[in-house]
């Protein structure tokens, strides 16, 4: 066999090796992350539930999901160990960096200054309707309609309006 016929097989084996290597690396990172859990850490399970770690054992984790709710999970069911800031932001809605950018509960405070500025101005309100254009358009159309009516009358009488 020549090298040209073996080349596709070599490339395929190399790709499989690289994929298994990266999968093993990701699995090792996940195991390290789960081993770093300690009581008080905020976690997200693979099912999307957020809880606080209460106890860690060899293969299981006891989670506190709320007042009086303790759940026993396998360590493999922990999807992510969250930092304190991230856990508080997601679960409690606490934002440390954005406290100065508070948004009011109602929109009226956002629009009151605009309404006061509009009322204080001496300009009359601008009418954005098409009434002015339609009035101009009606005048020529009235003249055209009058001509069309005169033509229709002439056709009905056969053009002999004076003969009768």
């Amino acid at each position: 066999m020549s090298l040209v016929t073996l080349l596709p097989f070599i490339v395929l084996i190399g790709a499989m090796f690289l994929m298994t290597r990266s999968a093993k690396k990701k699995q090792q990172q996940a195991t390290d992350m789960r081993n770093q859990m300690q009581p008080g850490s905020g976690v997200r399970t693979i099912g999307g539930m957020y809880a606080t770690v209460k106890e860690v054992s060899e293969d299981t984790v006891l989670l506190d999901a709320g007042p009086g709710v303790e759940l026993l999970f396998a360590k493999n069911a922990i999807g992510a160990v969250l930092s304190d800031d991230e856990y508080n932001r997601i679960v409690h809605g606490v934002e440390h960096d954005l406290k100065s950018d508070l948004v009011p509960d109602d929109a009226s405070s956002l629009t009151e200054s605009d309404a006061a500025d509009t009322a204080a101005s001496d300009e009359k309100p601008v009418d954005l309707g098409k009434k002015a254009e339609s009035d101009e358009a009606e005048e020529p159309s009235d003249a055209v309609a009058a001509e069309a009516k005169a033509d229709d009358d002439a056709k009905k009488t056969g053009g002999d309006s004076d003969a009768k």
Side-chain angles (χ1 to χ4, degrees):
M1 286 179 141
S2 69
L3 183 62
V4 176
T5 57
L6 290 177
L7 188 62
F9 294 113
I10 294 171
V11 170
L12 183 63
I13 291 171
M16 289 173 48
F17 173 75
L18 291 176
M19 289 187 329
T20 57
R21 184 173 176 232
S22 67
K24 284 181 182 178
K25 187 176 180 181
K26 287 180 184 179
Q27 188 177 16
Q28 183 61 39
Q29 287 175 345
T31 303
D32 291 343
M33 178 254 325
R34 289 182 185 114
N35 288 335
Q36 291 175 358
M37 279 188 300
Q38 44 186 289
S41 299
V43 296
R44 180 183 67 237
T45 66
I46 58 174
M49 184 183 71
Y50 293 91
T52 305
V53 176
K54 192 167 186 177
E55 292 178 15
V56 180
S57 65
E58 184 77 26
D59 296 327
T60 60
V61 179
L62 184 65
L63 300 178
D64 181 17
V69 180
E70 293 180 353
L71 305 167
L72 187 64
F73 275 82
K75 267 190 176 179
N76 292 339
I78 304 301
V81 177
L82 308 172
S83 67
D84 290 339
D85 289 340
E86 185 178 8
Y87 180 78
N88 288 331
R89 179 182 60 81
I90 293 170
V91 175
H92 303 294
V94 177
E95 294 282 344
H96 293 291
D97 299 333
L98 303 176
K99 288 194 180 217
S100 62
D101 298 334
L102 294 177
V103 177
D105 290 339
D106 62 340
S108 63
S109 64
L110 298 173
T111 58
E112 285 175 358
S113 63
D114 294 341
D117 291 342
T118 305
S121 67
D122 293 334
E123 298 176 16
K124 67 177 189 174
V126 177
D127 183 19
L128 298 177
K130 295 187 176 185
K131 186 174 182 181
E133 292 177 15
S134 65
D135 289 344
E136 293 171 6
E138 286 179 12
E139 291 173 5
S141 66
D142 289 342
V144 172
E147 283 181 32
K149 186 176 181 183
D151 289 343
D152 287 344
D153 290 341
K155 288 179 185 176
K156 287 179 186 175
T157 58
D160 299 331
S161 61
D162 291 337
K164 288 186 176 180

